[in-house]
Amino acid sequence: MNLAKLRNIGISAHIDSGKTTLSERILFYSGRIHKIEDVRGGGDGATMDHMELEKERGITITSAATSVEWKGHPINLIDTPGHVDFTVEVERSLRVLDGAILVLCSVGGVQAQSLTVDRQMKRYKVPRLAFINKMDRTGANPDKVVQQMRDKLGVDAIPFQIPIGLEDKLEGVVDLVEMKAYYNEGSQGEIVKEAEIPADLMDKAQEARQHMLESLSLYSDELMELLLAEEEVPTDLIHKVTHDAVIGLNITPVFMGSAYKNKCVQPLLDAVTRYLPSPLEIQYKAKDVEDPNKLIPLSCDDDKPFVGMAFKIVEDPYGQLTFMRIYQGKIEKGKGYVNQRTGKTDRFARIVRMHSDKREEIDSAGAGDIVAVMGVDCASGDTYASERNYCSLESIFVPIPVIKIS
Ligand code: GDP
């Protein structure tokens, strides 16, 4: 696996803002499912229970972790419960993420529950992108939502797109980095068409791009100098500055569209691969089992001793699946690893990668990855390592994603 390309991400959202619909579209556009059926009924309002739907269609929309691929990037999509209360369960699902998409409704904007979810994300220092969904709804107001993100969430929200049309006239978006228009075609929005920016939007797009560049220039002298000299800013530089500012938790780039109407989900996936970090870019630390004050830096390297955390245990018809984030080293099918809490060695009988429609049995999995293991009997939150008394991930308050300074 090319680790630099891997993304471990979650979607955090206020209930009803479209997390399920967006997740399903991601599975569809990444080729994991082959047909969009209205996941939860006909647009706003109608709902269908996830479990019911999953049973009916035999797929997992909201599995603990689902692996997809987008343009050569493996993406592990981890389910982040949108609970209001700060539970251990939420905590665990957040700590295994390297990045997230914050979904907001274009009409409802930042609501009480968004604040809670936001606090949790900040506490775990999760770099984020925002997606303003439901741009097709009457009353959609992305500018208002961006302002609310600044005022209520206190984040430096920077629009990277402007909409082409709005409400029932939503057609696509203008990408302010590439200065191109994006439209979806095909009965399920599966074709992305790039085009020139509509003439009547050009002034607005240029103004918005200037605003985006000025906001980004606070994080890059090079960009600032180019702006001051009124010179062309290369696209690659914008991508790099954005990537670094997102990982440094300085900015939240804002994208927009309508998951339900199959609009603009693909550009969001491009942004995930461009701006959210790979496991190599975040350094996690664990607590020394014997000296709780000592932190051991973990390295995302297959050749180091294995350290992983069981973050979710799910019973399914095939048996118990233990979802595990591998922070360091690798695991191999059939080998034994030590549960750091109990001191017992458990054999990892089978290792599986979960896809929405099937499970893939694999022989090994390396550092940075998220997989499910079968045959272990442990508690959610247990740390496993290749050696006894190596370290503990659970007892430490935060895995401290420390940004590597390159
Ligand atoms: P979740 O609770 O965040 O998982 O939200 P769902 O994905 O279940 O969506 C809640 C409701 O909003 C459902 O009725 C969806 O069909 C609807 N919905 C989701 N995305 C959109 C959208 O982009 N536009 C409109 N109009 N409705 C949407």
Side-chain angles (χ1 to χ4, degrees), residues 16-21 40 43-46 133-134 136 258-260:
D16 240 27
S17 49
K19 177 170 127 174
T20 314
T21 309
R40 302 191 68 184
D44 238 351
N133 189 32
K134 302 196 184 183
D136 60 302
S258 164
Y260 179 70

Side-chain angles (χ1 to χ4, degrees), residues 20-21 24-25 36-50 52-53 56-57 61 259-261:
T20 314
T21 309
E24 207 214 17
R25 292 324 189 248
I36 292 176
E37 290 170 42
D38 287 347
V39 202
R40 302 191 68 184
D44 238 351
T47 54
M48 184 176 189
D49 183 67
H50 295 178
E52 224 172 81
L53 184 84
E56 191 178 282
R57 299 176 46 192
I61 296 167
Y260 179 70
K261 291 278 166 79

Side-chain angles (χ1 to χ4, degrees), residues 349-363:
R350 287 154 81 192
I351 306 171
V352 289
R353 191 179 296 289
M354 304 295 290
H355 300 292
S356 57
D357 52 350
K358 65 175 184 356
R359 59 181 67 204
E360 178 195 355
E361 292 236 10
I362 51 180
D363 291 332

Side-chain angles (χ1 to χ4, degrees), residues 94-99 121-127 247-249 277-279 281-286 295 325 327 396-404:
L94 289 182
R95 65 197 294 176
V96 302
L97 304 177
D98 298 321
M121 287 280 166
K122 283 192 183 131
R123 187 163 173 162
Y124 284 89
K125 302 193 168 88
V126 183
I247 301 177
L249 305 173
S278 81
E281 293 172 288
I282 300 208
Q283 176 157 73
Y284 288 92
K285 292 185 181 184
L295 292 179
R325 158 98 197 212
Y327 288 95
I396 175 176
F397 180 55
V398 191
I400 316 180
V402 175
I403 311 310
K404 278 188 190 161

